[in-house]
Amino acid sequence: MSTPNVDGFFIIGWMYLPPHDPHVDDPMRFKPLFRVHLMERTSATVECMYGHKGPHSGHIQIVKKDEFSTKCNQTDHHRMSGGRQEEFRTWLREEWGRTLEDIFHEHMQELILMKFIYTSQYDNCLTYRRIYLPPSSPDDLIKPGLFKGTYGSHGLEIIMLSFHGKKAKGTKITGDPNIPAGQQTVEIDLLHPIQLPDIENQHNFNELSRIILEVQEQVRREQQQEEEEGAGCSRQSATPQAEQPAQEGDAGAEETADRAGAAAQGSEPASQPFVLPLGVVSRNKDYPRTCRMCFYGTGLIAGHGFTSPERTPGAFILFDDDRFGFIWLELKSFSLYSRIKVAFQNAEAPSREAFEEMLKNIQSLAT
C-alpha cells in the first residue's frame, strides 16, 4: 500500500507497511519507494528509492486514468554484497522484526520465504492503482475504513471495512500466498447477531461451534426460502395479492437492524465479557476482554496460489469503535483488527457507485 505526496520540489511515493506482527495496535510504518523531481521544465527526473544504496535512476509511466507504473533502471542497487541470504535476513528484520532463528516453525518458514521471493521478484517494476476510502453512513455499525489485522503465520495485513446495507465486507488491500489482495476476506451478516454464551461457557469451543453452525443453517434456510418465493412470484399472474402479515423472522431482522443503527448513533449496547475458546489460536494475546456485539459471518480460505477457495463460517466480534475480531471456525484461529489512524488526503470516493466499481475492479485483478 502506497501513497504519493508533494514535498517541496519533489513528489515522493511512500509505501505504508503494517507494524510488526503481532502488535496490531502499533502505528503504521512507512518508507519511500520513488521520487520525482519537479524542477525540470521539459521532463521530470525519476529516482527509485528502493534498496540500501540510496536514490538511483528510475522511470515512471502513466498507464491510464488512476493507474501508473514505476520501473527501476539500476536493479543492482537493490542487491546486497552478501547475496540472497543477507537480503533475506535484512528483509526479515525490517519487514517482520525477526531474525532467522526466530522463525523455527517449518510452516512459518515456508510462508515467509514465499513472501520474500514474491516481493523481491517484482521490486524492479511496480504498478499502482487508486483506491478509495469507503463512504460512510450514520447507520453504519462503526466508521468504515482501513484496518490492520493478524493472519496467523502470514503476519499482519491491511483490509478495508465497508458497509453494504445488510452486510459488511472486509476486502484485502495487501495479500498473501493463499488469499491475494482484492479478495473479500470476511463478510458479516448484520441481520444475524450471535448471542455469546456466559463467560464460563465461552471457553468451550464446541459450544461456540454449535451456536455458529445453528445460525449458518438458519441463514441457509432463509436463502432457500427467498429463492423459492422469488421463483413463485415469477410464476404468478399480475393479480394484486393480499398484504401478508409480518413474519417472525422479519421482525427479528428489523430488531437487529435497529440495534445496529442504535449502536452507530451512540446508543451502544452494554458490553459483555469475552474470552476466546480453548484451542482457538490467537497471534495477539492482548485482545480485548469485553465486546459490544457479535454477528454471524463467513471468512475466505484457500490453498497456496488461491487454490480451492471457499467461504467458511465464523463469528465477527465488535470490541469498540476501532477494533474488531473474527473467529475462523474451521481453522480454529482468531484475527484481531485495529483501525489505521493515518489521515489520507483526497481519498474519498466521488460516489458510492464509484466505490463499488473500484471494489469490483480490484477483485477482478486478483482473480
Side-chain angles (χ1 to χ4, degrees):
M1 178 177 171
S2 61
T3 179
N5 74 298
V6 179
D7 182 11
F9 295 104
F10 303 100
I11 295 177
I12 302 177
W14 294 93
M15 175 184 286
Y16 282 80
L17 300 163
H20 292 143
D21 180 47
H23 307 292
V24 71
D25 286 326
D26 285 358
M28 295 285 285
R29 301 174 293 127
F30 54 93
K31 65 180 182 180
L33 280 180
F34 63 86
R35 183 170 65 183
V36 181
H37 292 250
L38 301 178
M39 294 178 290
E40 290 81 357
R41 293 182 177 273
T42 54
S43 62
T45 299
V46 179
E47 292 178 318
C48 176
M49 307 282 283
Y50 196 89
H52 296 80
K53 297 181 180 180
H56 47 282
S57 175
H59 175 74
I60 192 168
Q61 179 180 2
I62 305 299
V63 179
K64 57 183 179 181
K65 185 178 183 293
D66 296 334
E67 182 176 330
F68 68 93
S69 63
T70 60
K71 182 179 180 181
C72 176
N73 296 331
Q74 295 176 282
T75 55
D76 57 300
H77 280 63
H78 301 183
R79 307 280 76 90
M80 290 186 170
S81 58
R84 278 306 210 203
Q85 186 174 7
E86 182 186 359
E87 292 171 15
F88 179 62
R89 285 183 177 273
T90 303
W91 177 85
L92 193 62
R93 183 180 65 254
E94 293 180 353
E95 304 300 318
W96 291 73
R98 298 183 181 181
T99 66
L100 197 58
E101 291 72 24
D102 293 335
I103 54 170
F104 57 90
H105 192 282
E106 184 176 348
H107 181 60
M108 176 179 280
Q109 286 182 357
E110 180 185 5
L111 291 175
I112 291 178
L113 186 58
M114 287 175 64
K115 203 162 189 174
F116 169 72
I117 293 173
Y118 180 82
T119 54
S120 60
Q121 183 179 1
Y122 296 102
D123 62 4
N124 64 324
C125 187
L126 298 170
T127 299
Y128 305 81
R129 298 178 180 88
R130 182 188 299 276
I131 60 173
Y132 295 121
L133 293 179
S136 60
S137 164
D139 296 329
D140 293 340
L141 197 61
I142 59 173
K143 182 181 178 182
L146 298 172
F147 290 78
K148 305 153 283 184
T150 56
Y151 278 86
S153 298
H154 292 299
L156 298 188
E157 299 183 24
I158 299 172
I159 76 160
M160 176 185 290
L161 179 70
S162 55
F163 291 90
H164 309 261
K166 301 174 183 179
K167 294 185 182 296
K169 299 178 180 179
T171 303
K172 279 199 173 186
I173 301 302
T174 59
D176 56 57
N178 292 69
I179 308 294
Q183 291 296 325
Q184 188 180 312
T185 177
V186 293
E187 180 177 280
I188 302 99
D189 190 335
L190 299 175
L191 292 183
H192 291 87
I194 290 177
Q195 182 61 49
L196 293 174
D198 54 59
I199 191 65
E200 289 78 12
N201 290 321
Q202 285 186 29
H203 289 284
N204 189 335
F205 176 81
N206 292 333
E207 178 64 13
L208 178 65
S209 178
R210 179 191 65 79
I211 293 172
I212 293 176
L213 293 179
E214 282 182 357
V215 179
Q216 182 190 38
E217 177 59 23
Q218 178 187 350
V219 171
R220 188 196 65 80
R221 290 196 305 266
E222 291 173 359
Q223 291 175 342
Q224 183 178 8
Q225 182 179 356
E226 289 177 1
E227 291 172 359
E228 291 173 353
E229 290 176 351
C233 289
S234 64
R235 291 193 297 267
Q236 290 177 356
S237 65
T239 305
Q241 300 294 315
E243 185 176 348
Q244 299 296 318
Q247 300 295 315
E248 182 179 352
D250 297 334
E254 292 177 3
E255 181 182 353
T256 303
D258 291 341
R259 289 181 65 202
Q265 295 172 12
S267 303
E268 300 172 3
S271 296
Q272 59 178 313
F274 174 79
V275 66
L276 286 174
L278 296 175
V280 173
V281 178
S282 174
R283 300 285 294 175
N284 197 319
K285 306 302 181 185
D286 296 327
Y287 63 86
R289 294 308 197 268
T290 60
C291 68
R292 290 182 188 171
M293 305 177 76
C294 179
F295 292 91
Y296 171 77
T298 59
L300 183 63
I301 64 174
H304 290 349
F306 197 45
T307 55
S308 305
E310 62 173 322
R311 304 209 68 86
T312 60
F316 169 86
I317 315 293
L318 178 62
F319 295 117
D320 52 44
D321 289 340
D322 297 322
R323 290 179 297 178
F324 63 87
F326 191 83
I327 298 176
W328 306 75
L329 194 62
E330 185 169 322
L331 301 178
K332 285 190 174 183
S333 178
F334 174 73
S335 291
L336 177 64
Y337 301 86
S338 179
R339 185 182 300 277
I340 294 176
K341 298 179 180 180
V342 177
F344 295 102
Q345 298 180 353
N346 305 316
E348 293 76 17
S351 66
R352 180 165 288 276
E353 291 74 20
F355 176 77
E356 297 286 355
E357 185 66 24
M358 180 214 69
L359 283 185
K360 291 180 183 178
N361 289 339
I362 62 176
Q363 186 169 5
S364 66
L365 291 170
T367 55

